[in-house]
Amino acid sequence: MMNKVEYKNILIVEDDATLRGMLADHFSVMNNVKTCGNLQSATDEVRYAKFDIVLLDVVLPDGSGLKLFDLLADTPVVILSDLGSDDNLLDGFSAGAADYIVKPASFAIIEARMALRLLPDEKARIVSNGLVLNVSKRTAIYKKTALDLTSSEFNILAFLMQNAGVYFTANEIYERVWRMPHLNTATIKVHISNLRKKMLSLSSDCADLIITEFGKGYAFANE
């Protein structure tokens, strides 16, 4: 059964009035929903109210939605945008997005992706080889030591851990993590290289957690 978003305080920031209204109608059946059509009104909302999750457009009439991240340090943000290039996605994840959905997308997909970021701790934890990830809080801890990861590094690591022992090429990882066609860039290889360096800096035991095999790709080690 698809995960649902229920009994949450949701902020929807979308300048398209028709889409904003449709999203509000969809989510307000089981949630408390606030909507904003521009950056200023969204800024006012997050300054004075607490939300469980934010669905955010990037291109707004009075500025970039990415500016809202400065006020949303502890709130998961799912970007919903027309901008779908590699650079756009990387900008979103670098800003702190928990997920990035490229329009058009069905409400079922949007809700499923939001629900993933709202999982309770007992369902959000991925544990393997001493490494503990929480996909809702987006934390990574190795033997009680926090691992400081970028959003992209975290998403890649979570995907590999969820599929431990299975090999994926760089392009397959891109398509599975970002759910859009790959662009034949070196993005994934760079992220995995940086991820390995950060893991290795914590312990030499992390050296072999992400495996590379020629012709097969990358995999997270089985316990």
Side-chain angles (χ1 to χ4, degrees):
M1 183 178 177
M2 185 192 77
N3 288 327
K4 304 288 287 184
V5 178
E6 298 177 334
Y7 313 114
K8 302 297 182 183
N9 291 317
I10 301 172
L11 175 63
I12 297 172
V13 185
E14 169 60 59
D15 68 328
D16 183 316
T18 300
L19 178 57
R20 184 170 69 246
M22 293 171 66
L23 287 166
D25 289 344
H26 176 83
F27 284 105
S28 62
V29 174
M30 297 298 295
N31 302 277
N32 179 34
V33 177
K34 292 280 188 179
T35 65
C36 296
N38 57 61
L39 181 61
Q40 184 58 58
S41 60
T43 299
D44 292 340
E45 284 289 349
V46 299
R47 278 179 175 161
Y48 301 111
K50 175 67 176 176
F51 295 95
D52 296 302
I53 194 165
V54 176
L55 186 63
L56 176 67
D57 193 2
V58 173
V59 180
L60 299 171
D62 54 345
S64 170
L66 298 183
K67 293 180 179 179
L68 205 62
F69 279 93
D70 292 338
L71 303 172
L72 292 168
D74 300 321
T75 305
V77 178
V78 174
I79 290 177
L80 178 64
S81 176
D82 293 306
L83 305 178
S85 74
D86 196 37
D87 287 342
N88 295 142
L89 268 71
L90 292 176
D91 286 345
F93 284 119
S94 295
D99 208 339
Y100 196 120
I101 305 171
V102 179
K103 300 175 183 175
S106 70
F107 290 168
I109 291 297
I110 294 170
E111 184 166 9
R113 301 272 285 271
M114 290 172 65
L116 180 63
R117 306 307 171 191
L118 291 165
L119 287 173
D121 283 350
E122 64 271 17
K123 292 184 179 181
R125 284 161 49 95
I126 309 171
V127 183
S128 181
N129 291 285
L131 189 59
V132 181
L133 264 62
N134 185 306
V135 298
S136 180
K137 295 180 179 178
R138 297 183 67 76
T139 57
I141 298 174
Y142 180 74
K143 295 183 178 179
K144 299 183 179 180
T145 301
L147 189 58
D148 184 18
L149 303 178
T150 67
S151 291
S152 296
E153 290 163 359
F154 182 92
N155 291 340
I156 293 168
L157 181 58
F159 170 72
L160 292 176
M161 288 181 67
Q162 287 170 326
N163 296 278
V166 181
Y167 285 89
F168 299 91
T169 66
N171 287 342
E172 287 172 335
I173 293 172
Y174 188 101
E175 292 180 345
R176 295 286 293 274
V177 171
W178 281 283
R179 293 179 174 87
M180 63 182 299
H182 67 83
L183 300 174
N184 288 314
T185 70
T187 297
I188 298 299
K189 294 179 182 179
V190 171
H191 285 316
I192 289 180
S193 175
N194 292 335
L195 179 56
R196 280 173 162 157
K197 290 175 183 176
K198 290 182 178 181
M199 293 170 66
L200 187 57
S201 70
L202 291 184
S203 172
S204 59
D205 294 339
C206 294
D208 298 322
L209 291 186
I210 296 179
I211 310 163
T212 304
E213 187 166 333
F214 182 76
K216 296 176 69 175
Y218 304 94
F220 191 85
N222 272 320
E223 288 191 278

